[in-house]
Amino acid sequence: METLLLSQEDVNEFALMADVIGAVEDAFAAYERGDAQMPPKSYIELPRYNGDFRSMPAYLDAGDWDAAGLKWVNVHPDNPGDHGLPTVMGTMIYSDPETAAPLAIMDGTALTMKRTGAAAAVATDYLAVEDATSLGVVGAGVQAYTQLEAIAEVRPIEEVVVSDLDDERVDRFVETFADRFEVRGDSISEAGHCDVLSTVTPVRDPIVGPDDVGERTHVNAMGADAEGKQELADELLLGATIVIDDHAQCTHSGEINVPYGEGTLTDDDIAAELGEIVVGDRAGRTDETGVTVFDSTGLAIQDVAAAHVVYQRAEGEGGSPFGLIGIEE
């Protein structure tokens, strides 16, 4: 057999957003049904280099398909300034569950951006108002782009407001999407008063308060991925309907980790895990629902689901353009 080597360009080409959203939704459902295995994310701390490695394995059975894989990812904040490299990089090993053969080794950085956007889109589809046409984005880094691309797949987004301390990043974002949306840079409050808000920053001191969002805004809190990080003020969280992706990860390193650790927020304040809503065990948005918050930490099942989409499309193209590793039979 052969193992496909898929570059960042390959992943971007084959991870069609609509397909990734569908696969990630399937993954949430499989996880809720108990048809997935996802050991806790493990960390290797590297204080010498101000960074860490994280391993994220998973298997899921979505009914019509199943998949397994491992993402090996890092977070090194000094990389851009010191080495000209991204803060976050990743490699995905995608395996055949039946034989354990490595079907593909693919870029995990692009895959992460795609599946993170897709997770926000799944949450938005269940939690945002049906007629949402405006999206606010706080943080104009690389994750912001797939937030817009994905959410526009599930809602007819027309107006986009982006807020960031770096004017150059705002300008790049606006220029990228100016031909598709009415997009402008503005304040956090202006972004937060859109129908949907995605926050994608690494801050440790909350920057979005209860007065910065509309009465029925849906918030995708995507930035917190480690202990101590928090983008939304406690008062906003306590007044919102909170939906999480995974209890263990969210209480350890998600948006709710700080107030949960301090006892300000408890399990009683968590309305549901997203998988419960996807399978119909809990309600999504209703006519009475006000502000909703999706706390997304990023799950290995999402990576495996996105990798499945990429591999299926790459294999369908015949494999030859991608550089192959021969595996002895």
Side-chain angles (χ1 to χ4, degrees):
M1 65 155 291
E2 295 174 318
T3 302
L4 296 181
L5 287 179
L6 303 175
S7 68
Q8 186 171 91
E9 291 75 18
D10 298 326
V11 171
N12 280 323
E13 177 180 356
F14 292 115
L16 300 185
M17 187 57 82
D19 293 342
V20 176
I21 292 169
V24 168
E25 185 174 11
D26 288 345
F28 276 115
Y31 189 45
E32 180 59 29
R33 292 193 309 265
D35 293 332
Q37 298 179 50
M38 188 177 65
K41 183 188 303 184
S42 63
Y43 291 77
I44 296 177
E45 302 291 344
L46 302 169
R48 178 177 178 181
Y49 302 110
N50 187 28
D52 63 65
F53 286 116
R54 308 170 187 193
S55 63
M56 302 174 63
Y59 165 78
L60 67 94
D61 181 355
D64 294 336
W65 55 274
D66 67 345
L70 166 71
K71 188 172 76 172
W72 179 244
V73 64
N74 76 289
V75 177
H76 280 57
D78 297 335
N79 268 0
D82 294 350
H83 306 290
L85 293 171
T87 297
V88 179
M89 296 179 286
T91 301
M92 185 75 189
I93 302 171
Y94 181 71
S95 300
D96 182 350
E98 181 178 3
T99 66
L103 298 174
I105 299 172
M106 65 184 72
D107 175 74
T109 305
L111 195 77
T112 298
M113 289 189 289
K114 293 280 188 174
R115 63 83 153 147
T116 303
V122 173
T124 298
D125 204 21
Y126 285 95
L127 297 171
V129 294
E130 286 290 338
D131 58 351
T133 59
S134 60
L135 170 67
V137 183
V138 177
V142 293
Q143 291 284 0
Y145 291 75
T146 50
Q147 288 294 301
L148 175 50
E149 290 169 358
I151 290 169
E153 291 282 345
V154 299
R155 289 295 187 273
I157 300 300
E158 299 172 359
E159 178 187 4
V160 181
V161 181
V162 59
S163 181
D164 194 292
L165 295 175
D166 188 328
D167 291 338
E168 290 185 3
R169 296 209 302 184
V170 170
D171 291 342
R172 284 196 297 270
F173 186 89
V174 170
E175 183 179 354
T176 299
F177 293 107
D179 60 339
R180 295 173 53 192
F181 305 96
E182 181 185 326
V183 55
R184 72 180 191 277
D186 214 314
S187 66
I188 288 176
S189 184
E190 285 295 312
H193 279 82
C194 291
D195 297 321
V196 182
L197 171 67
S198 287
T199 58
V200 282
T201 74
V203 299
R204 291 179 175 270
D205 294 318
I207 55 175
V208 184
D211 294 335
D212 294 319
V213 299
E215 293 182 357
R216 305 193 75 200
T217 299
H218 167 62
V219 183
N220 296 303
M222 314 300 292
D225 61 356
E227 287 185 89
K229 290 187 176 181
Q230 184 181 0
E231 298 180 290
L232 312 181
D234 291 356
E235 295 80 8
L236 171 54
L237 291 169
L238 288 169
T241 298
I242 299 173
V243 176
I244 61 178
D245 61 6
D246 176 75
H247 187 276
Q249 287 195 185
C250 287
T251 55
H252 174 267
S253 55
E255 179 59 37
I256 65 172
N257 84 92
V258 174
Y260 190 90
E262 294 173 345
T264 303
L265 185 150
T266 70
D267 287 343
D268 291 338
D269 299 304
I270 300 171
E273 290 191 352
L274 183 57
E276 295 178 288
I277 297 175
V278 170
V279 301
D281 290 345
R282 297 287 182 95
R285 176 168 288 277
T286 68
D287 291 340
E288 292 74 37
T289 308
V291 174
T292 53
V293 171
F294 173 52
D295 182 354
S296 173
T297 56
L299 306 180
I301 54 171
Q302 299 167 8
D303 296 303
V304 170
H308 170 75
V309 170
V310 172
Y311 177 74
Q312 291 297 311
R313 286 199 167 272
E315 186 187 36
E317 294 292 327
S320 58
F322 307 113
L324 305 174
I325 301 174
I327 304 294
E328 293 184 3
E329 299 289 351

